[in-house]
Amino acid sequence: MNRQAPIEYRIQGGGYTAVVLGLGAAVRELTHDGRPLVVGFGAQEAMPNFRGAFVAPWPNRIGDGRYAFDGAHYELPINEPERGAALHGLVFDVPWSLVEHTGSSVTLACVIEPVAAYPFEVALEVRFSVSGGGFRTDVTALNTGGRRAPYGVCPHPYLVAGPSPLDAWVLELPAATVLTVTPDRLLPVAKEAVAGTPFDFRTAHALGDVQIDHAFTDLERDAAGRAMVRVTDPTHGTGTAMVWDGSCPWVQIHTADLPLKPESTRLGLAVEPMTCPPDAFNTGEDLIVLEPGATHRTGWTISAL
């Protein structure tokens, strides 16, 4: 039986074409002049490996699904059973409502309704747009409830540099610090300098066989406060970049090593600008706390090189 495809919205402009789903506000496809900039998936296919997912109200994972906030303890459903974690938030698999759809932009909205595991009400609005400058995502979160709410957000695209294998791609990641993790559950351990580690890509070089599934911070930024990650395919002279401002002090990088899914392993490089690191609901590090009526805004841009 064929899976019923969710509603999707196509936008075009500046040589870019994107397809955004009404389910989860996922980015199913992104191309520039016909060249894929992300690892996509088919219209009849369920989103694999969180490709193009929109992740809120927490990025990455919360160990055991448990967290404490304002003196109370909560337990989220475990959706990563092999690591015992609550992964990638609450909105990646729920319907979003259409606010506006033009030829070059689409705006979707979703309300995180209070439940026992997350008893806070946060209204999300996400605008996707394309222009000569790239594919832009702008996110607004509004606390519409009566109590303050913990919050974090990130995207989950797998960037594609070109036709060569990922090992041959060249990564430029201007981050001085990496968050080390436990090898079995990928839970945070400590922040360490990247100098002298396999994770130092401040000077661009080939990924080779390094395996990365880590958060990075202490990002070098330009005069406008923007950080940029670039991944290029030197054999074909192509590449993809991602840019964001200081509202995201972290970025998760993942080389998509999926040993249990060899057909999907190392197809793209996940680049996820994050407002806070993994497990921030417990550590409190860079956690956004939305007071009732308060708004938070962030965004990021993917462009062809």
Side-chain angles (χ1 to χ4, degrees), residues 171-178 194 199-204 216-222 226-231 242-244 249 251 253 271:
L171 172 63
E172 182 179 347
L173 170 62
T177 300
V178 61
V194 298
F199 307 123
D200 189 354
F201 287 87
R202 290 173 295 177
T203 298
F216 295 80
T217 192
D218 294 331
L219 299 164
E220 181 181 335
R221 298 179 182 272
D222 65 15
R226 296 170 300 193
M228 176 186 288
V229 168
R230 295 162 50 98
V231 59
M242 198 161 184
V243 179
W244 62 93
V251 61
I253 303 292
V271 179

Side-chain angles (χ1 to χ4, degrees), residues 61 80-85 181-189 213:
R61 53 184 50 81
E80 191 186 31
E82 66 274 20
R83 293 192 175 114
V181 293
T182 58
D184 53 346
R185 301 182 65 193
L186 301 183
L187 296 178
V189 175
D213 197 354

Side-chain angles (χ1 to χ4, degrees), residues 95-277:
W96 289 55
S97 60
L98 177 65
V99 177
E100 182 184 42
H101 184 202
T102 71
S104 61
S105 71
V106 60
T107 302
L108 301 176
C110 175
V111 177
I112 302 173
E113 301 283 358
V115 293
Y118 185 81
F120 316 100
E121 185 176 281
V122 179
L124 300 170
E125 188 170 281
V126 183
R127 182 178 187 268
F128 303 94
S129 59
V130 286
S131 67
F135 173 63
R136 175 73 186 173
T137 304
D138 290 289
V139 183
T140 302
L142 170 65
N143 184 346
T144 50
R147 58 195 300 182
R148 62 189 212 139
Y151 172 75
V153 64
C154 80
H156 204 292
Y158 288 87
L159 303 187
V160 174
S164 297
L166 182 142
D167 292 26
W169 297 352
V170 170
L171 172 63
E172 182 179 347
L173 170 62
T177 300
V178 61
L179 183 64
T180 60
V181 293
T182 58
D184 53 346
R185 301 182 65 193
L186 301 183
L187 296 178
V189 175
K191 291 190 289 185
E192 297 183 3
V194 298
T197 76
F199 307 123
D200 189 354
F201 287 87
R202 290 173 295 177
T203 298
H205 62 275
L207 280 159
D209 61 0
V210 65
Q211 296 186 8
I212 310 172
D213 197 354
H214 296 75
F216 295 80
T217 192
D218 294 331
L219 299 164
E220 181 181 335
R221 298 179 182 272
D222 65 15
R226 296 170 300 193
M228 176 186 288
V229 168
R230 295 162 50 98
V231 59
T232 56
D233 181 345
T235 301
H236 294 86
T238 57
T240 303
M242 198 161 184
V243 179
W244 62 93
D245 66 17
S247 60
C248 290
W250 292 83
V251 61
Q252 182 83 12
I253 303 292
H254 180 28
T255 45
D257 302 280
L258 304 167
L260 300 180
K261 301 177 182 178
E263 74 284 355
S264 298
T265 200
R266 295 179 79 87
L267 296 182
L269 183 74
V271 179
E272 310 163 42
M274 302 187 298
T275 56
C276 59

